[in-house]
Amino acid sequence: MPIFTLLLLITLMGWSAHGWADSRHLQLADVVNALANQPTGQPPVWAPLPKGDEVFGPGVLTYTIRGDETLLQVGRSFDLGYNSISLANPKVDPWLPPPGTLIRVPLLHVYPDGSDSRPELVINRPEMRIFFRRKDGWIETYPLGVGREGFDTPLTEAKVTRKMANPTWYVPESIRKENPNQPTIVPPGPDNPLGTHAIYLTLPTYLIHGTNRPFGVGRRVSRGCMRLYPEDIVRLYKRVEPGLRVRIVDQPAKAGWRGNQLFLEVHPTLKRKDRGQLPGKASEAIFNAMQRRHGQVQVDSALVEKMTRSPDGIPRVIGYVTQDGTPYAPYQADYKPVTAPSPTATGSKAKPAKPAQPAKQTQKSKPARSATSGR
């Protein structure tokens, strides 16, 4: 393990210790420096959640655009999809941001509601993000692309059945009807839309896989499958094993606790016509979170209303629990955003993962065509 990765993990583990808030400024700066020297941006592992906590990540950083960087390039350097980096910076041109522009890099997450602490993969469809709770309690999280309108990624529960490096894509008949020039089989290689690795589920035709078009991560572009950055699918592939539970949920609003602080995170609904449901979704998430804590809960309803009116995917403190009747104080960030060094300046520009060595499969038998037809 590279020494800077080891130091980063030690730093992240320190966040769960007593007195975490007092040393946050120093630790946040350490994380930024470590991120800038990672060859693929954001570390794949955050930290185990302290008992009772449901919020994790270093915070919301600020970053200065340099040279001809695009917002998408910066997002990928920090392992964010198009939706996350653009929502956090709605006034910034994603393709031509002026050099010197300060942008927000959201690296804070509320874990999806409904967890019972068992190992699992959770795909939150409107957030376009996957969460992996490992057996050791540590959390990994990655952005992904989901099904476009008319080919929605289904909301359901499933299990991992197997995984494969260098998968072959058996093109569905429906795609070949749309494009008669499409071959029936696409072998492993740069033209394969499944990328270098694929994870198969008990859902026929729906896969978690890499991609040969990374700009689709954080977008609704697939026919229902879930696409990860080439570098991220390699990380996830190494960890996931058959039998792991998978939940695909629709939670545009998530509420969770860190200590006695209650956070709310709101994302736009996938369909614009459902945007009016956000206040109700937020109220439901907050209510469920309050049921998980004892004591009097103070909530800033004005902030909640503002977040549901302009969802940007950034978690904010909307209240706290107290047993002594202390009056609620308006939200004040417990950290100061810091300027991140340029990933490209330190040689950490995201690069596609190297293709896996030929034909290492988790099963000896050839895959059934119906199980590899997703895209």
Side-chain angles (χ1 to χ4, degrees):
M1 178 183 293
I3 186 63
F4 62 81
T5 303
L6 179 61
L7 292 174
L8 176 60
L9 296 180
I10 293 173
T11 300
L12 291 170
M13 293 176 65
W15 285 348
S16 60
H18 183 69
W20 173 86
D22 293 337
S23 58
R24 183 174 178 89
H25 303 304
L26 175 61
Q27 291 177 349
L28 192 56
D30 290 342
V31 169
V32 172
N33 291 332
L35 289 177
N37 287 284
Q38 285 275 47
T40 50
Q42 177 183 349
V45 178
W46 283 115
L49 291 175
K51 185 176 181 180
D53 276 12
E54 301 159 333
V55 181
F56 66 99
V60 180
L61 315 183
T62 61
Y63 177 86
T64 303
I65 295 291
R66 295 177 170 90
D68 58 355
E69 290 177 323
T70 68
L71 208 58
L72 279 69
Q73 289 173 327
V74 175
R76 186 175 178 184
S77 295
F78 288 97
D79 212 15
L80 297 173
Y82 172 82
N83 62 322
S84 294
I85 196 70
S86 59
L87 277 174
N89 302 278
K91 297 182 179 180
V92 179
D93 187 325
W95 301 106
L96 295 172
T101 301
L102 285 177
I103 64 170
R104 295 187 293 182
V105 181
L107 300 179
L108 191 65
H109 308 284
V110 178
Y111 197 84
D113 187 18
S115 172
D116 56 12
S117 299
R118 286 186 293 168
E120 64 177 1
L121 282 175
V122 183
I123 294 99
N124 189 15
R125 200 171 63 175
E127 187 179 0
M128 301 186 208
R129 180 163 283 273
I130 186 170
F131 299 85
F132 177 28
R133 184 191 291 273
R134 299 179 351 192
K135 291 181 180 179
D136 57 9
W138 286 59
I139 304 295
E140 300 183 22
T141 182
Y142 309 98
L144 47 73
V146 298
R148 64 180 184 268
E149 190 168 357
F151 295 92
D152 298 281
T153 303
L155 302 175
T156 186
E157 290 196 5
K159 288 186 177 180
V160 173
T161 57
R162 59 192 176 88
K163 57 184 184 177
M164 183 179 298
N166 293 317
T168 295
W169 182 43
Y170 296 93
V171 185
E173 184 178 351
S174 59
I175 294 181
R176 286 187 279 117
K177 285 183 178 180
E178 295 176 1
N179 182 6
N181 296 324
Q182 184 75 252
T184 57
I185 297 176
V186 178
D191 296 327
N192 192 320
L194 300 185
T196 60
H197 296 75
I199 298 170
Y200 299 84
L201 310 175
T202 51
L203 296 172
T205 76
Y206 293 100
L207 286 67
I208 301 171
H209 60 78
T211 181
N212 61 345
R213 298 179 178 179
F215 57 82
V217 173
R219 297 174 182 264
R220 300 186 65 192
V221 293
S222 77
R223 296 175 68 92
C225 284
M226 293 143 280
R227 304 176 176 182
L228 278 74
Y229 282 131
E231 59 270 22
D232 285 345
I233 188 62
V234 174
R235 294 165 169 170
L236 186 62
Y237 179 93
K238 292 178 180 178
R239 296 282 189 180
V240 168
E241 297 296 338
L244 182 66
R245 179 177 65 158
V246 179
R247 292 191 295 131
I248 306 176
V249 301
D250 184 83
Q251 296 181 15
K254 302 182 297 178
W257 295 95
R258 189 184 69 191
N260 285 331
Q261 292 181 315
L262 178 59
F263 282 74
L264 178 66
E265 178 181 343
V266 185
H267 297 263
T269 55
L270 291 183
K271 298 180 179 179
R272 185 171 293 274
K273 67 181 182 64
D274 296 334
R275 192 66 56 85
Q277 299 178 7
L278 278 177
K281 296 283 187 180
S283 296
E284 180 182 2
I286 294 170
F287 175 80
N288 290 339
M290 291 169 65
Q291 296 300 301
R292 299 193 292 269
R293 285 295 170 95
H294 299 290
Q296 181 181 356
V297 179
Q298 305 281 350
V299 175
D300 187 341
S301 57
L303 180 56
V304 173
E305 192 276 334
K306 180 179 179 181
M307 292 177 66
T308 57
R309 188 175 63 250
S310 302
D312 60 7
I314 296 179
R316 293 177 174 85
V317 176
I318 59 160
Y320 67 97
V321 63
T322 177
Q323 296 180 352
D324 59 8
T326 303
Y328 177 71
Y331 165 62
Q332 297 292 332
D334 62 356
Y335 59 87
K336 294 180 180 180
V338 296
T339 300
S342 170
T344 54
T346 56
S348 66
K349 187 175 181 179
K351 299 179 181 178
K354 294 182 179 179
Q357 295 302 313
K360 283 191 177 181
Q361 301 183 5
T362 56
Q363 294 186 356
K364 294 183 179 179
S365 59
K366 293 183 179 180
R369 294 193 179 192
S370 62
T372 60
S373 59
R375 180 181 177 185

